[in-house]
């Protein structure tokens, strides 16, 4: 019973900086789902847009620029991570890779964190970015859920998102909910709860 009352804090990162991004729409929907339908899970959007490009010249005597340190502390405070990753050239987006790299600088704050990936886009729905992010996660010591996977083919009927990038498709919302429930279960398992 103690595990059921524990609140798991999820840091949600979107690899797209565009406000109307479908991937950001997935994050907004995840936040709504955890507020309205999933007890014990609290999702917070972590904005990666203020991060400077990785440049170790910006590190001074073991410290990082303020924006980077704030971001790193947000990751430290999270119990698990939700990535919404667009696919750029068969890989993760540059802003997301930059965030991954900053948080991996010593000490690596990703280490041991449970994580999940969702994506929306054309063709395969961002699926290639999932697999590349999983490869990166091996080095970062992230522990990804394996199932379910959520790749949203955003341009195939029926419409999945409205003009503002908000998720409107109920089947996709249910798929997202299943990902979040799996992340919740996996996080509790890793914590030994």
């Amino acid at each position: 019973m103690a595990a059921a009352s524990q609140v798991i804090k999820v840091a949600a990162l979107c690899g797209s900086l565009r406000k109307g991004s479908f991937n950001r729409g997935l994050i907004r929907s995840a936040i709504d789902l955890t507020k309205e339908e999933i007890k014990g899970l609290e999702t917070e959007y972590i904005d990666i847009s203020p991060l400077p490009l990785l440049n170790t010249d910006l590190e001074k005597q073991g410290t990082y620029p303020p924006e980077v340190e704030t971001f790193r502390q947000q990751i430290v405070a999270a119990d698990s991570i939700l990535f919404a990753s667009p696919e750029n050239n068969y890989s993760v987006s540059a802003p997301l890779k930059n965030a991954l790299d900053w948080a991996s600088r010593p000490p690596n704050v990703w280490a041991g964190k449970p994580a999940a990936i969702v994506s929306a886009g054309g063709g395969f729905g961002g699926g290639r970015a999932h697999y590349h992010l999983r490869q990166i996660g091996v080095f970062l010591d992230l522990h990804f859920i394996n199932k379910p996977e959520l790749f949203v083919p955003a341009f195939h009927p029926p419409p999945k998102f409205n003009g503002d990038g908000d998720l409107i498709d109920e089947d996709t919302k249910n798929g997202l909910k299943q990902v979040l429930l799996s992340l919740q279960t996996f996080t509790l398992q890793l914590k030994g709860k």
Side-chain angles (χ1 to χ4, degrees):
M1 291 308 248
S5 64
Q6 178 182 358
V7 175
I8 294 169
K9 294 183 179 181
V10 180
L13 283 70
C14 180
S16 175
L17 303 183
R18 194 172 63 84
K19 287 187 172 86
S21 147
F22 296 150
N23 287 282
R24 192 171 291 197
L26 289 173
I27 295 292
R28 286 191 299 271
S29 190
I31 290 168
D32 290 345
L33 283 167
T34 57
K35 284 181 182 173
E36 299 165 9
E37 297 185 34
I38 304 174
K39 292 183 193 244
L41 209 59
E42 181 181 291
T43 304
E44 178 186 0
Y45 169 67
I46 307 298
D47 186 7
I48 62 173
S49 66
L51 297 175
L53 287 177
L54 180 68
N55 177 351
T56 55
D57 288 342
L58 299 175
E59 298 175 23
K60 304 292 182 200
Q61 299 171 350
T63 64
Y64 298 97
E67 307 89 344
V68 172
E69 192 53 47
T70 296
F71 171 68
R72 289 171 56 85
Q73 291 309 310
Q74 289 171 312
I75 300 305
V76 167
D79 298 305
S80 56
I81 312 295
L82 175 65
F83 294 100
S85 180
E87 181 181 316
N88 294 150
N89 301 318
Y90 284 17
S91 187
V92 298
S93 67
L96 181 56
K97 181 63 167 72
N98 188 55
L100 291 165
D101 290 344
W102 270 122
S104 73
R105 299 294 299 152
N108 172 18
V109 298
W110 299 115
K113 300 276 184 187
I117 311 166
V118 297
S119 63
F124 190 30
R128 291 178 196 92
H130 277 240
Y131 297 132
H132 199 188
L133 183 51
R134 285 177 181 276
Q135 289 177 310
I136 295 165
V138 170
F139 181 78
L140 300 179
D141 196 24
L142 281 164
H143 304 296
F144 286 104
I145 65 167
N146 290 321
K147 299 286 181 188
E149 295 179 302
L150 183 64
F151 319 108
V152 182
F155 304 105
H156 296 179
K160 312 292 188 299
F161 299 88
N162 65 19
D164 295 324
D166 296 320
L167 182 60
I168 58 172
D169 180 64
E170 289 303 318
D171 288 340
T172 304
K173 283 183 185 179
N174 186 55
L176 179 58
K177 181 178 179 180
Q178 297 311 309
V179 167
L180 292 167
L181 288 169
S182 180
L183 180 60
Q184 181 180 38
T185 299
F186 187 50
T187 302
L188 290 171
Q189 286 173 345
L190 287 181
K191 289 177 165 275
K193 305 288 182 185

